[in-house]
Amino acid sequence: MARLISPDDLQQQIDLLGNVKTKHDNDGAASVLTLLLTEKNIVLADDVDDLKDAATQDASQQLLIKQAENFVQLRDLKSEPAFKHTKAGFQFLKSMFKPNVQKLGDWGATVDNKNRIVYPPQFAEMVKVFRKMKAKHDSYAAGTSPLQPYLDEQQINLNDDSSELKIAETNEANQLQFRKDSENATQQRNQLQQPVTGHLKDIGNYLMKLFSGKEKKAGDWGFAVDDSPRAPKERISTIKI
């Protein structure tokens, strides 16, 4: 049995719709699609415009995603040193506080029941961990913080890390906004494309029924028709004894 192959790809739909409209326009009053288009309230010119707008939204969505990824890279470049210093600082404090590892909670760390430090995967939450550690460190009189010897030895300046994290937060806010804009573009693309997808399927199915027995004629409108035999499928049936 011949099967209609309906494209879901946007560019393929644009090409197919162009072929359908060209054939319909060239056939004029004799077009076999006239009755269907009238019945379904399909205006091919409007569909062409909608797919063009959908393509614009699709291109915008792809660009916004790339821009968001760029901001993620910039965010990580600024935040990774501070996060590395935070984790290393906690490991130093952990060795000092053993066996009372839960004391790290006062510094902003989360410690599980196996005395392991658990770090949040989210960027914003990790920033909070850094700031809690820094706030605890800053609460000590100059030179008396348990963390100070490690910072001095490793030449770590938490104020510099804090400044870098502020820049990283700006990059994070930018990437989140670009992703939000990308989602909006995707939604607008889908809203424009989906009705046209339905119209193309209606037209293709109509031509397949019209040309029953010679379905390949639908190819004159740009549709792909597969008339190769389907491969056998194994089925499991249940019957009553």
Side-chain angles (χ1 to χ4, degrees):
M1 180 182 294
R3 299 179 297 280
L4 181 71
I5 301 176
S6 299
D8 293 322
D9 178 76
L10 178 56
Q11 186 56 54
Q12 291 179 348
Q13 289 184 349
I14 291 174
D15 295 339
L16 175 58
L17 180 60
N19 291 333
V20 170
K21 188 175 184 303
T22 297
K23 173 66 173 169
H24 174 68
D25 292 345
N26 289 342
D27 289 349
S31 174
V32 299
L33 293 182
T34 299
L35 291 176
L36 175 70
L37 299 181
T38 301
E39 176 66 25
K40 298 285 188 181
N41 293 319
I42 297 174
V43 180
L44 294 179
D46 291 346
D47 282 355
V48 168
D49 290 339
D50 285 345
L51 285 192
K52 286 182 179 178
D53 291 341
T56 299
Q57 294 296 333
D58 187 64
S60 176
Q61 178 265 342
Q62 294 182 42
L63 177 60
L64 288 166
I65 283 294
K66 290 180 180 179
Q67 291 173 322
E69 291 172 350
N70 287 337
F71 276 115
V72 169
Q73 291 180 346
L74 292 173
R75 177 203 70 190
D76 291 345
L77 284 173
K78 289 295 183 180
S79 64
E80 283 177 355
F83 292 164
K84 179 180 178 181
H85 296 162
T86 301
K87 294 176 181 179
F90 278 135
Q91 290 300 322
F92 173 77
L93 292 173
K94 181 179 180 181
S95 66
M96 179 183 295
F97 296 153
K98 281 184 176 180
N100 188 18
V101 179
Q102 295 296 325
K103 193 174 179 181
L104 288 172
D106 297 336
W107 291 72
T110 299
V111 181
D112 65 14
N113 56 11
K114 295 183 179 180
N115 287 334
R116 292 179 301 191
I117 303 173
V118 180
Y119 297 103
Q122 302 88 351
F123 168 81
E125 294 303 313
M126 192 62 195
V127 172
K128 292 179 182 178
V129 171
F130 166 84
R131 287 185 175 146
K132 288 178 181 178
M133 184 187 76
K134 183 177 183 300
K136 180 65 174 177
H137 170 73
D138 292 343
S139 70
Y140 287 87
T144 65
S145 168
L147 187 58
Q148 193 64 56
Y150 180 79
L151 299 180
D152 292 341
E153 179 65 28
Q154 299 298 323
Q155 298 182 339
I156 295 173
N157 188 315
L158 295 183
N159 291 327
D160 290 344
D161 285 347
S162 181
S163 297
E164 293 293 277
L165 278 183
K166 289 180 181 179
I167 299 174
E169 285 182 301
T170 299
N171 291 324
E172 170 71 354
N174 287 336
Q175 77 94 4
L176 290 174
Q177 183 60 53
F178 275 101
R179 290 191 189 280
K180 182 178 179 180
D181 293 342
S182 172
E183 291 172 359
N184 290 336
T186 298
Q187 186 177 30
Q188 293 182 50
R189 179 201 65 193
N190 293 342
Q191 289 176 347
L192 290 163
Q193 183 183 3
Q194 286 172 357
V196 182
T197 299
H199 294 167
L200 287 173
K201 288 182 179 179
D202 287 341
I203 292 170
N205 290 331
Y206 175 80
L207 293 174
M208 292 286 284
K209 295 297 183 182
L210 179 65
F211 301 132
S212 180
K214 42 188 176 180
E215 291 87 349
K216 284 287 188 179
K217 286 187 66 176
D220 295 341
W221 280 261
F223 287 95
V225 178
D226 181 10
D227 59 358
S228 60
R230 295 195 183 204
K233 292 184 178 180
E234 181 178 343
R235 294 183 179 180
I236 298 177
S237 300
T238 303
I239 61 174
K240 292 183 179 181
I241 298 176

PDB file of all heavy atoms in Angstrom, residues 33-45:
ATOM      1  N   LEU A  33      -7.315  21.019  -6.191  1.00  0.00           N
ATOM      2  CA  LEU A  33      -7.279  21.386  -4.771  1.00  0.00           C
ATOM      3  C   LEU A  33      -8.293  22.448  -4.392  1.00  0.00           C
ATOM      4  O   LEU A  33      -8.510  22.691  -3.208  1.00  0.00           O
ATOM      5  CB  LEU A  33      -5.871  21.895  -4.390  1.00  0.00           C
ATOM      6  CG  LEU A  33      -4.727  20.882  -4.428  1.00  0.00           C
ATOM      7  CD1 LEU A  33      -3.440  21.561  -3.988  1.00  0.00           C
ATOM      8  CD2 LEU A  33      -5.027  19.680  -3.547  1.00  0.00           C
ATOM      9  N   THR A  34      -8.901  23.075  -5.383  1.00  0.00           N
ATOM     10  CA  THR A  34      -9.766  24.227  -5.100  1.00  0.00           C
ATOM     11  C   THR A  34     -10.870  23.899  -4.105  1.00  0.00           C
ATOM     12  O   THR A  34     -11.088  24.632  -3.125  1.00  0.00           O
ATOM     13  CB  THR A  34     -10.385  24.764  -6.395  1.00  0.00           C
ATOM     14  OG1 THR A  34      -9.329  25.181  -7.272  1.00  0.00           O
ATOM     15  CG2 THR A  34     -11.287  25.953  -6.105  1.00  0.00           C
ATOM     16  N   LEU A  35     -11.570  22.791  -4.298  1.00  0.00           N
ATOM     17  CA  LEU A  35     -12.676  22.437  -3.410  1.00  0.00           C
ATOM     18  C   LEU A  35     -12.174  22.154  -1.993  1.00  0.00           C
ATOM     19  O   LEU A  35     -12.802  22.567  -1.011  1.00  0.00           O
ATOM     20  CB  LEU A  35     -13.421  21.220  -3.958  1.00  0.00           C
ATOM     21  CG  LEU A  35     -14.220  21.449  -5.248  1.00  0.00           C
ATOM     22  CD1 LEU A  35     -14.838  20.142  -5.740  1.00  0.00           C
ATOM     23  CD2 LEU A  35     -15.320  22.481  -5.020  1.00  0.00           C
ATOM     24  N   LEU A  36     -11.049  21.457  -1.891  1.00  0.00           N
ATOM     25  CA  LEU A  36     -10.494  21.144  -0.566  1.00  0.00           C
ATOM     26  C   LEU A  36     -10.078  22.421   0.166  1.00  0.00           C
ATOM     27  O   LEU A  36     -10.390  22.596   1.354  1.00  0.00           O
ATOM     28  CB  LEU A  36      -9.291  20.213  -0.698  1.00  0.00           C
ATOM     29  CG  LEU A  36      -8.563  19.932   0.627  1.00  0.00           C
ATOM     30  CD1 LEU A  36      -9.413  19.060   1.529  1.00  0.00           C
ATOM     31  CD2 LEU A  36      -7.197  19.288   0.384  1.00  0.00           C
ATOM     32  N   LEU A  37      -9.380  23.300  -0.521  1.00  0.00           N
ATOM     33  CA  LEU A  37      -8.910  24.538   0.107  1.00  0.00           C
ATOM     34  C   LEU A  37     -10.079  25.377   0.593  1.00  0.00           C
ATOM     35  O   LEU A  37     -10.026  25.983   1.668  1.00  0.00           O
ATOM     36  CB  LEU A  37      -8.046  25.331  -0.880  1.00  0.00           C
ATOM     37  CG  LEU A  37      -6.774  24.636  -1.383  1.00  0.00           C
ATOM     38  CD1 LEU A  37      -6.013  25.549  -2.336  1.00  0.00           C
ATOM     39  CD2 LEU A  37      -5.883  24.216  -0.223  1.00  0.00           C
ATOM     40  N   THR A  38     -11.140  25.398  -0.200  1.00  0.00           N
ATOM     41  CA  THR A  38     -12.336  26.155   0.197  1.00  0.00           C
ATOM     42  C   THR A  38     -12.997  25.517   1.416  1.00  0.00           C
ATOM     43  O   THR A  38     -13.380  26.202   2.367  1.00  0.00           O
ATOM     44  CB  THR A  38     -13.339  26.210  -0.963  1.00  0.00           C
ATOM     45  OG1 THR A  38     -12.720  26.842  -2.090  1.00  0.00           O
ATOM     46  CG2 THR A  38     -14.567  27.000  -0.569  1.00  0.00           C
ATOM     47  N   GLU A  39     -13.116  24.194   1.384  1.00  0.00           N
ATOM     48  CA  GLU A  39     -13.758  23.474   2.491  1.00  0.00           C
ATOM     49  C   GLU A  39     -12.978  23.644   3.792  1.00  0.00           C
ATOM     50  O   GLU A  39     -13.568  23.789   4.875  1.00  0.00           O
ATOM     51  CB  GLU A  39     -13.864  21.988   2.134  1.00  0.00           C
ATOM     52  CG  GLU A  39     -14.435  21.101   3.230  1.00  0.00           C
ATOM     53  CD  GLU A  39     -15.889  21.399   3.544  1.00  0.00           C
ATOM     54  OE1 GLU A  39     -16.600  21.920   2.650  1.00  0.00           O
ATOM     55  OE2 GLU A  39     -16.328  21.123   4.683  1.00  0.00           O
ATOM     56  N   LYS A  40     -11.651  23.609   3.702  1.00  0.00           N
ATOM     57  CA  LYS A  40     -10.800  23.679   4.891  1.00  0.00           C
ATOM     58  C   LYS A  40     -10.388  25.109   5.254  1.00  0.00           C
ATOM     59  O   LYS A  40      -9.666  25.315   6.239  1.00  0.00           O
ATOM     60  CB  LYS A  40      -9.526  22.853   4.667  1.00  0.00           C
ATOM     61  CG  LYS A  40      -9.763  21.365   4.439  1.00  0.00           C
ATOM     62  CD  LYS A  40     -10.109  20.660   5.735  1.00  0.00           C
ATOM     63  CE  LYS A  40     -10.143  19.149   5.545  1.00  0.00           C
ATOM     64  NZ  LYS A  40     -10.494  18.438   6.797  1.00  0.00           N
ATOM     65  N   ASN A  41     -10.847  26.075   4.461  1.00  0.00           N
ATOM     66  CA  ASN A  41     -10.459  27.482   4.687  1.00  0.00           C
ATOM     67  C   ASN A  41      -8.940  27.647   4.691  1.00  0.00           C
ATOM     68  O   ASN A  41      -8.375  28.362   5.525  1.00  0.00           O
ATOM     69  CB  ASN A  41     -11.039  28.000   6.013  1.00  0.00           C
ATOM     70  CG  ASN A  41     -12.552  28.093   5.985  1.00  0.00           C
ATOM     71  OD1 ASN A  41     -13.131  28.520   4.985  1.00  0.00           O
ATOM     72  ND2 ASN A  41     -13.194  27.698   7.068  1.00  0.00           N
ATOM     73  N   ILE A  42      -8.301  26.993   3.740  1.00  0.00           N
ATOM     74  CA  ILE A  42      -6.850  27.070   3.611  1.00  0.00           C
ATOM     75  C   ILE A  42      -6.490  28.099   2.543  1.00  0.00           C
ATOM     76  O   ILE A  42      -6.970  28.019   1.405  1.00  0.00           O
ATOM     77  CB  ILE A  42      -6.247  25.699   3.221  1.00  0.00           C
ATOM     78  CG1 ILE A  42      -6.513  24.662   4.326  1.00  0.00           C
ATOM     79  CG2 ILE A  42      -4.754  25.818   2.952  1.00  0.00           C
ATOM     80  CD1 ILE A  42      -6.088  23.252   3.954  1.00  0.00           C
ATOM     81  N   VAL A  43      -5.675  29.053   2.908  1.00  0.00           N
ATOM     82  CA  VAL A  43      -5.181  30.055   1.961  1.00  0.00           C
ATOM     83  C   VAL A  43      -3.675  29.822   1.825  1.00  0.00           C
ATOM     84  O   VAL A  43      -2.907  30.098   2.752  1.00  0.00           O
ATOM     85  CB  VAL A  43      -5.463  31.489   2.443  1.00  0.00           C
ATOM     86  CG1 VAL A  43      -4.920  32.502   1.429  1.00  0.00           C
ATOM     87  CG2 VAL A  43      -6.956  31.699   2.676  1.00  0.00           C
ATOM     88  N   LEU A  44      -3.266  29.294   0.687  1.00  0.00           N
ATOM     89  CA  LEU A  44      -1.874  28.904   0.513  1.00  0.00           C
ATOM     90  C   LEU A  44      -0.914  30.082   0.654  1.00  0.00           C
ATOM     91  O   LEU A  44       0.190  29.937   1.195  1.00  0.00           O
ATOM     92  CB  LEU A  44      -1.684  28.232  -0.852  1.00  0.00           C
ATOM     93  CG  LEU A  44      -2.406  26.882  -1.033  1.00  0.00           C
ATOM     94  CD1 LEU A  44      -2.173  26.336  -2.435  1.00  0.00           C
ATOM     95  CD2 LEU A  44      -1.936  25.871   0.010  1.00  0.00           C
ATOM     96  N   ALA A  45      -1.325  31.256   0.173  1.00  0.00           N
ATOM     97  CA  ALA A  45      -0.459  32.431   0.286  1.00  0.00           C
ATOM     98  C   ALA A  45      -0.199  32.780   1.753  1.00  0.00           C
ATOM     99  O   ALA A  45       0.925  33.144   2.135  1.00  0.00           O
ATOM    100  CB  ALA A  45      -1.077  33.612  -0.438  1.00  0.00           C
TER     101      ALA A  45
END
